[in-house]
Every structure is written in structure tokens, then in C-alpha cells.
Amino acid sequence: MDDQVADLMHSPHQALFTTATIGHVDLANRVALAPMTRVSATADGLPTDRIASYYRVFAEGGFALLITEGLYIDDQTSQGYLFQPGIANAAHAAGWQRVVDGVHDRGAKFFAQLMHAGSQSQGNPHTTITWGPSAVRPKGEQLAMYRGAGPFEVPQAMTTEQIGQVRAAFVNAARNARDAGFDGVEIHGANGYLLDAFLTDYLNTRTDEYGGHTAGRVRLAAEVCHDVASAVGDDIAVGIRISQGKVSDNHHRWAGGEEDAAAIFGALGDTGIHYIHTTEYRALAPAFAERGKSLAQLAKQHSKLPVIANGHLDDPRDAAAMIESGAADLVALAKPALANRDWPHRVRSGVPLSPDVPRDLFGPVANLKDWEVEAVQSTASARRST
């Protein structure tokens, strides 16, 4: 018997260490690094040495798939945070090439998450305007850990022309990611950012084809999925991340419950994408009631696609249970991965896990000196006045 097969048979939680495939992308195991905002790019959105090192460490640690933090998709309204990396232009794509090469050299696959922050933007040097489905302010306040303060801005309600611009920006960003060597792209349709804002009843009061009932509110996310899959889906994997909660409203739930889930995941499953990534506070918990199916289970049932599940799967037993039960095909880890950058190697070999999350949880830019932030804001002001 092959030594590697023998090790697998005797490893704890062996369901996590079988191979998987998403689209045409073959994965060595079923453990992914979840996308986490690092805000450690240059002011112009280029990936830095720190970013390259960050992802390389997880590839060395045994994660089969890494998903980037959200990358902004245009040089207009999509950026969400100062020092957020982008994939909006050729310079961004060129900058990511060496990062991708470093990940590939260590045996992992790499997906780029494509993000338009919408009305939850709290740091964009290109504009002071935010876009949303309607002129409705997000709940809650901006995040101090990302140098935000006070309530979010009231967004500008988007015109159909602006919706078309966003659709085109997602396609352009996907092509840039493909050209940079990424194995796939993940459309960010979660956490209250633009596509999720369209999906959210109280943020979307439109009366045109992009508003009203659930089928109208999911339309933009479905169109973006279809556009991107049609543009690059033969070359790289394409998926979308979906949640109920938001950065500004953690407790939000779809009012229509499982009926909404059926409509949303059914529509997304018909777009030609390859997977859905669900993120909930607890991935194993019922999505809508004390008993019932998890969001991951509902996504799998109604989309008929492979599912990545994220949400407090810190315990390897819980992570393995998601795979063993068929609720998900992969698990994506966030804080437990930060505490254990070699989580897959540790779990597979039975080495104890550390519960301690590093102090740099939110990246180095949370501690920027005032003059550095003022320099970025000054640049933004100059751009807006020209």
C-alpha cells in the first residue's frame, strides 16, 4: 500500500483530506483559506511583499485552496477600504502574478475574490460617492479597525447604466485575474456589499426589474455570475459567496426563509458558475429556525453545485462533519487558520491546535500613522478636483 494512502486511512478526520474538484480545478484536500480583509496593499491597490508572504505561508501549511481578500474591481466606486488590493487594471494583474506563482510553487490553488463594496465602502481614494440599489443608509457604523468612523454614507441609487458599468467591471476584473494566473474567481455576493445590498429587502426599495420580489433582487448577482462565467468559465473556476448577515447587520435573515433560499440558490445555480460559498456565523446551525437545514445544505440542494461552507468550523470534528454529511464539499477557515497557519498539516498528523489568534488579525494598516492616512486622503481629494 502506498505510504500516502496509508497515512490518509489512519489520519483523524480523514474526510477533510480526500481530493475534490471545482470546475476544472483539482484540489489536494477539502480545506480552504477563507477570504479575510488584510488592508495591506499599497495606496494604489498593488499587492505588497507582506501580502505575498501571507498567502505563501498558508500554501505551505497545507491548505489546498486559498481565496484572496476582496479585491476591488474598478477605479471608481468599488473600493471599500484604504489600502485594499485591487484587480481593476493591468498593473494590478501584473502585481498579483508573483503572488500567484508563490502560492502555486507551494502546491495550493488560488482564487481571486472580486468585490464591489457598494454602500458599505468606508475608504475610497477615487471618490466620496457610494453606490447602492437605493438611497438607503446601511445599518450600524463603520469599522474602527479599518479606520472607519461614524455612520455609513447614504448611497446614490444606481441607474441602469451604472448597473451595466458594474457588470462590465466584474467581467474585466475576472479577465485580469485569469491573466494574473489565478485558478478561479469568487464573486463577492455576501456581507452587505453591493450584490448583497441588491438582495436585501430593506436596502433595495427599487420598483424596476432589480427590485421587489426575491427574483428581482437576486437578478444583479445572477447576471454578474452569468457574465463572468460566460467570459472566463472555460478557463478558470467561477463561484459566488453568499450570506445572510452583513458587516453592518450581523443578525439579518432572509424574510422568506427556505422559500427565499430556493429562489436565490436556484437562480444562481442556473448561471453557469461552478460553486457557491456560504458564510454564516455558524455553518452547522439551521439557517432559519431552531431546527432545519443549514445555509450550506440549502445552497447544495437548490443550486445543485459544489458548496464551500464557512462559519466557526474551528473544531476539526465540525469541519469533517460538514463533508461527511454531504452538507458541503469544502470548508473555509478564517480565525482558526490565522491561529494555525498549518491547520491542515496539524489536523492530519494529530498535532494540537493553537486557540490564539495573532495580534495582526486585521493587518498592519489598522495601525497606520495619521500622516499616512492623511496622505491618501489628500491624494483622493486631488483626484476628485481634477
Side-chain angles (χ1 to χ4, degrees):
M1 181 181 295
D2 182 89
D3 289 343
Q4 188 174 6
V5 174
D7 289 344
L8 176 59
M9 291 179 63
H10 292 94
S11 66
H13 320 299
Q14 64 187 48
L16 296 170
F17 301 105
T18 57
T19 58
T21 301
I22 293 181
H24 302 300
V25 181
D26 295 327
L27 303 171
N29 62 50
R30 295 173 183 263
V31 186
L33 175 72
M36 289 178 279
T37 301
R38 302 286 86 199
V39 289
S40 52
T42 68
D44 292 327
L46 295 172
T48 58
D49 290 342
R50 179 160 186 153
I51 285 177
S53 175
Y54 168 80
Y55 288 112
R56 193 166 58 242
V57 166
F58 291 105
E60 292 170 345
F63 289 83
L65 172 64
L66 314 182
I67 306 172
T68 71
E69 60 215 280
L71 310 182
Y72 66 85
I73 59 171
D74 62 28
D75 293 321
Q76 300 176 55
T77 59
S78 65
Q79 188 169 343
Y81 306 101
L82 297 177
F83 299 92
Q84 178 186 4
I87 193 70
N89 52 53
H92 289 157
W96 277 105
Q97 284 179 348
R98 65 184 181 87
V99 185
V100 173
D101 289 344
V103 168
H104 285 165
D105 287 347
R106 285 151 182 84
K109 300 300 171 65
F110 206 8
F111 289 4
Q113 189 184 71
L114 313 181
M115 171 181 157
H116 193 300
S119 57
Q120 283 186 164
S121 177
Q122 59 181 61
N124 186 342
H126 307 290
T127 182
T128 58
I129 296 170
T130 62
W131 281 359
S134 306
V136 178
R137 190 194 308 272
K139 294 180 179 180
E141 295 197 343
Q142 298 179 46
L143 304 176
M145 62 191 177
Y146 297 135
R147 285 196 169 268
F152 292 94
E153 298 294 327
V154 176
Q156 180 184 100
M158 293 173 67
T159 65
T160 54
E161 180 181 0
Q162 289 167 338
I163 288 172
Q165 291 173 16
V166 166
R167 290 175 63 179
F170 271 105
V171 169
N172 179 67
R175 288 175 171 149
N176 286 338
R178 176 197 59 193
D179 295 346
F182 282 102
D183 303 288
V185 292
E186 179 172 284
I187 296 159
H188 203 335
N191 303 122
Y193 297 117
L194 183 67
L195 300 185
D196 185 44
F198 268 82
L199 186 56
T200 302
D201 47 14
Y202 69 83
L203 291 174
N204 184 347
T205 61
R206 302 175 75 96
T207 57
D208 63 3
E209 67 270 31
Y210 291 100
H213 47 70
T214 307
R217 288 184 280 109
V218 77
R219 182 184 301 275
L220 180 55
E223 288 179 343
V224 169
C225 285
H226 179 270
D227 292 345
V228 172
S230 297
V232 301
D234 289 337
D235 303 323
I236 58 177
V238 179
I240 186 169
R241 196 179 208 217
I242 293 291
S243 71
Q244 295 189 88
K246 312 174 191 318
V247 170
S248 57
D249 183 6
N250 289 328
H251 302 294
H252 177 74
R253 292 293 178 268
W254 297 335
E258 292 196 14
E259 190 174 315
D260 274 0
I264 292 164
F265 293 127
L268 296 174
D270 288 337
T271 60
I273 61 174
H274 301 108
Y275 75 95
I276 290 177
H277 182 177
T278 60
T279 176
E280 292 274 85
Y281 181 69
R282 295 198 180 277
L284 283 166
F288 300 108
E290 292 183 6
R291 296 182 180 180
K293 295 179 179 179
S294 67
L295 197 67
Q297 287 175 302
L298 292 166
K300 196 166 179 66
Q301 175 185 345
H302 296 295
S303 74
K304 313 299 183 187
L305 295 173
V307 169
I308 302 175
N310 167 251
H312 274 84
L313 295 171
D314 309 33
D315 190 322
R317 292 171 295 184
D318 291 338
M322 292 294 294
I323 306 301
E324 292 167 346
S325 68
D329 300 273
L330 278 82
V331 296
L333 306 181
K335 288 184 180 179
L338 292 177
N340 303 272
R341 315 257 167 143
D342 57 350
W343 194 96
H345 288 333
R346 284 174 176 254
V347 170
R348 187 167 187 172
S349 59
V351 175
L353 295 170
S354 169
D356 299 323
V357 177
R359 293 178 63 187
D360 67 344
L361 175 60
F362 298 109
V365 179
N367 298 314
L368 277 177
K369 299 179 179 64
D370 288 341
W371 70 265
E372 292 176 298
V373 174
E374 289 169 4
V376 174
Q377 293 171 338
S378 175
T379 300
S381 177
R383 286 176 175 171
R384 289 192 296 270
S385 65
T386 58

